[in-house]
Amino acid sequence: MTKETMLQMALESIGDHSHIRHWRRVSGGDINDVYRVQSGKQTYFIKMQRFPPSGFFAAEQMGLELIRQARAINVPHTFGFGEADGWGWLVLEWIEGTETEQTAEQLGRGLARLHQCRGPAFGLDRDTYIGMLPQRNGWYGRWTDYYRDARLRPQITRAAERGLLPVKRRKRLEWLLERLDQWLPDDCFPSLLHGDLWSGNWIPGPDGVPYLIDPSVLYGHHEFEIAFTELFGGFPVRFYESYRELMPLSADYHGRKPLYQLFYLLVHLNLFGETYGSAVDRVLDRYAGE
């Protein structure tokens, strides 16, 4: 089956039976093959993956819809997902635009408004993915319990199974898990988080208005999200300024920031190997010492 035939099948699955006028592969497909597809009706962004994990595109659509319902910041409209002949797909609205001087501020304010949306507890009522790794969830009454048991511990277990935890690293991680209460707040509220917000997971739309993409949603401490935005190069200064105008960071934020970044470093350790081992060890040096 040709790629155009698969793209046509994806469109027909969402009720667009018009003929494809033009399609091309576009950049940004680290996990999926991604395409700009123009039909007789409109232009779409289609993600495709060979033998995707169970529920992979359903989780992404759910996350985008949850953010959309918050009415805090834009996300692309999702038309639907499906699977046939070993291929899975997600059909999205095509978004295109150029950043303006206001984009960073709009992004910061929009994210702050998203974080002001409160959930019933910490976590989520369904499982998701972080990259290609399954993310088990559930509801937790305490943020520390969720972060330890649903976030850090599964990544530590996965790293150990892959032979990525030398004895010293494993012992220090276990030491840290037992003492998270020393650094994590017990009085924060469960904010709606994008969950995987680095610079590649937002795009400018028409008039420079920002759109979030590729979420791994959860309800958690809002500083967990901000810590990740600072891990790989960070966002523009005006983004952080406008965010803090609506959602101030606590005086303890910088003391716990590396601890929140540890989760994402463990994810990268599991995805890409020992390249990220030294970064994990630097966090452990700060909290667990020798």
Side-chain angles (χ1 to χ4, degrees):
M1 185 177 295
T2 67
K3 191 54 61 73
E4 183 170 348
T5 301
M6 289 300 304
L7 293 170
Q8 188 73 57
M9 184 181 298
L11 292 187
E12 291 178 357
S13 74
I14 63 165
D16 186 346
H17 298 278
S18 63
H19 182 69
I20 291 178
R21 294 180 176 177
H22 181 266
W23 67 275
R24 61 179 171 86
R25 189 165 182 169
V26 295
S27 61
D30 293 337
I31 294 177
N32 308 291
D33 296 337
V34 292
Y35 301 90
R36 180 185 186 275
V37 180
Q38 184 177 355
S39 76
K41 286 188 175 181
Q42 67 179 81
T43 303
Y44 301 93
F45 180 75
I46 300 182
K47 297 183 171 188
M48 304 193 79
Q49 187 178 150
R50 186 70 167 163
F51 300 118
S54 176
F56 184 79
F57 287 123
E60 181 172 346
Q61 176 169 283
M62 176 276 300
L64 289 169
E65 181 63 17
L66 195 59
I67 295 173
R68 187 193 67 80
Q69 290 175 359
R71 300 180 182 277
I73 191 168
N74 288 317
V75 293
H77 176 73
T78 58
F79 293 97
F81 61 90
E83 189 169 341
D85 295 334
W87 283 93
W89 61 76
L90 176 64
V91 183
L92 301 162
E93 171 189 13
W94 174 262
I95 302 296
E96 188 171 8
T98 303
E99 289 185 52
T100 69
E101 293 181 356
Q102 289 75 44
T103 299
E105 178 177 347
Q106 292 171 336
L107 180 61
R109 288 185 174 275
L111 186 67
R113 289 193 296 268
L114 183 69
H115 289 175
Q116 289 173 341
C117 298
R118 299 192 180 200
F122 297 100
L124 201 65
D125 61 354
R126 65 195 75 185
D127 296 337
T128 57
Y129 287 85
I130 180 74
M132 287 294 292
L133 300 179
Q135 172 60 57
R136 306 302 179 195
N137 288 302
W139 292 122
Y140 290 73
R142 296 180 68 242
W143 166 242
T144 300
D145 294 339
Y146 174 78
Y147 190 57
R148 181 188 61 241
D149 296 335
R151 291 282 166 163
L152 291 179
R153 195 181 298 280
Q155 294 298 329
I156 292 170
T157 299
R158 184 174 287 112
E161 292 171 349
R162 295 191 58 204
L164 294 168
L165 293 187
V167 174
K168 182 178 179 180
R169 185 181 297 164
R170 178 63 182 265
K171 286 183 176 179
R172 295 204 296 175
L173 283 166
E174 291 294 340
W175 184 92
L176 191 59
L177 288 181
E178 296 175 1
R179 295 165 175 81
L180 287 181
D181 281 313
Q182 294 183 26
W183 298 282
L184 301 194
D186 202 36
D187 58 352
C188 60
F189 64 85
S191 295
L192 178 55
L193 309 183
H194 174 281
D196 194 11
L197 190 56
W198 62 289
S199 61
N201 277 352
W202 73 273
I203 55 175
D207 300 319
V209 173
Y211 284 69
L212 299 186
I213 60 173
D214 297 343
S216 179
V217 294
L218 71 146
Y219 288 96
H221 187 202
H222 67 106
E223 292 180 356
F224 178 47
E225 184 118 280
I226 296 301
F228 184 44
T229 68
E230 295 192 66
L231 182 56
F232 298 125
F235 284 46
V237 172
R238 187 56 190 141
F239 162 82
Y240 294 104
E241 292 174 344
S242 61
Y243 177 88
R244 291 194 300 268
E245 288 171 3
L246 296 180
M247 286 288 286
L249 302 178
S250 69
D252 299 329
Y253 167 69
H254 290 287
R256 68 172 64 98
K257 179 174 70 173
L259 191 55
Y260 281 163
Q261 293 173 338
L262 177 62
F263 168 73
Y264 293 100
L265 291 172
L266 288 169
V267 167
H268 280 71
L269 179 68
N270 283 315
L271 287 173
F272 305 111
E274 186 56 31
T275 302
Y276 286 89
S278 59
V280 170
D281 292 337
R282 284 194 294 272
V283 175
L284 295 176
D285 287 341
R286 172 166 181 160
Y287 295 98
E290 294 297 325

